[in-house]
Amino acid sequence: MIGQESEMALRHPLRVALLDLLADAGSVTANEAARRLGESSGACSFHLRQLERYGYVEPVAGAHGRARPWRLRAPTPPRPGADLGPLARELEDEGYHRWLARRATAPERWQRDEAFSEVLHLTPAELTTVADEIRAVLAPYARRRAPRGSAPVGVVARVFPLLPEADA
């Protein structure tokens, strides 16, 4: 089970991106990560050390110095926001339907919602980019302490290919 402090370590979008990169690549140096993620090597190095501190990554054995590759520690703890399957989707839908049913009884300042959807034409790489950009927009709000006058707000983003009907 992830402790609260350890879970907070994963609320930074670059740390999540580094974990995803390591899951795909096996191992990378801070310089390689920086090049592939479009970040500075210093930022990647810092966040890799933070991930090491919380037990998510480790240096590859025998490597030293600036060109030190990193890898995921096994077993990899689950990441917050990792796919939780149909149950998570049902809970999201249930919360939204409860909101719709009780919206008129909410305080006036909370009777608004910002539901929207778009159909986009994206490449697989662009789909990933859009999802990463949404996470980056939400990250500062997820990391902060709840400000005075705030309330929990559900934010659900689903970025997925629209597949044709089975018999089409």
Side-chain angles (χ1 to χ4, degrees), residues 11-39:
R11 291 212 172 157
H12 193 286
L14 180 52
R15 292 179 191 163
V16 173
L18 286 164
L19 290 175
D20 289 341
L21 177 60
L22 287 168
D24 289 339
S27 69
V28 294
T29 65
N31 285 335
E32 291 169 323
R35 188 173 54 255
R36 292 175 72 175
L37 298 175
E39 298 285 342

Side-chain angles (χ1 to χ4, degrees), residues 137-158:
V137 167
L138 298 176
Y141 299 97
R143 288 193 308 264
R144 70 181 186 170
R145 289 181 188 235
R148 187 179 174 119
S150 69
V153 172
V155 178
V156 178
R158 296 176 180 162

Side-chain angles (χ1 to χ4, degrees), residues 13 116 129-143 155:
F116 59 90
T129 299
V130 168
D132 290 344
E133 289 173 350
I134 292 169
R135 284 186 197 96
V137 167
L138 298 176
Y141 299 97
R143 288 193 308 264
V155 178

Side-chain angles (χ1 to χ4, degrees), residues 62-79:
H64 301 289
R66 292 171 91 55
R68 171 173 59 175
W70 295 85
R71 67 178 177 204
L72 294 175
R73 289 190 62 173
T76 303
R79 290 193 341 257

Side-chain angles (χ1 to χ4, degrees), residues 55-142:
Y56 292 98
V57 304
E58 63 188 5
V60 172
H64 301 289
R66 292 171 91 55
R68 171 173 59 175
W70 295 85
R71 67 178 177 204
L72 294 175
R73 289 190 62 173
T76 303
R79 290 193 341 257
D83 184 25
L84 301 176
L87 177 59
R89 303 294 87 78
E90 288 176 29
L91 292 172
E92 292 165 357
D93 290 341
E94 179 184 317
Y96 186 64
H97 289 289
R98 185 171 44 253
W99 157 249
L100 292 174
R102 295 177 47 200
R103 173 185 193 163
T105 63
E108 188 175 335
R109 66 189 177 118
W110 288 105
Q111 289 185 2
R112 164 183 185 170
D113 86 25
E114 295 291 338
F116 59 90
S117 67
E118 289 289 333
V119 174
L120 306 172
H121 293 269
L122 304 173
T123 66
E126 289 171 328
L127 183 145
T128 300
T129 299
V130 168
D132 290 344
E133 289 173 350
I134 292 169
R135 284 186 197 96
V137 167
L138 298 176
Y141 299 97

